[in-house]
Amino acid sequence: MSVAQESRINLLDTPLPRLLAAFDVELVESSITDPTHFGAFVERQDGSRALRMPVGRSEFERDTAARMLLAEGLGLAGPPVPAPLEVSRV
């Protein structure tokens, strides 16, 4: 995606499916059931990207966590992650 295209994408207002498509990120269901795990942004060795999200979460929770992970993983400007949540890099 070019810088011009990226500037037209608003992290908070763009529908999540469009946001994922714009940044070529695949949404994958995670098998992790830990209630403190909200998801993971994964960059694979082949350069592809995936957003691994746990199932069974509310639409709001899933959407919010996805946007926080995308902002962090892609280096996008976004609001800070609210306490007590944190984003870790491994």
Side-chain angles (χ1 to χ4, degrees):
M1 168 178 295
S2 72
V3 173
Q5 290 171 314
E6 192 173 312
S7 68
R8 287 189 292 243
I9 300 294
N10 184 302
L11 180 67
L12 300 178
D13 294 331
T14 301
L16 188 57
R18 183 167 168 233
L19 195 60
L20 293 170
F23 289 102
D24 198 23
V25 177
E26 175 187 15
L27 183 61
V28 179
E29 291 186 352
S30 171
S31 61
I32 298 173
T33 58
D34 180 343
T36 64
H37 177 75
F38 290 90
F41 178 83
V42 178
E43 288 185 274
R44 300 178 183 120
Q45 288 184 343
D46 67 2
S48 64
R49 301 170 178 155
L51 190 58
R52 301 183 65 77
M53 302 295 294
V55 296
R57 302 293 173 94
S58 72
E59 177 88 20
F60 175 78
E61 186 176 302
R62 185 177 177 105
D63 187 82
T64 303
R67 291 170 193 279
M68 288 189 302
L69 291 167
L70 285 171
E72 182 67 27
L74 296 169
L76 303 173
V81 176
L85 300 177
E86 64 181 56
V87 176
S88 302
R89 288 186 175 265
V90 290

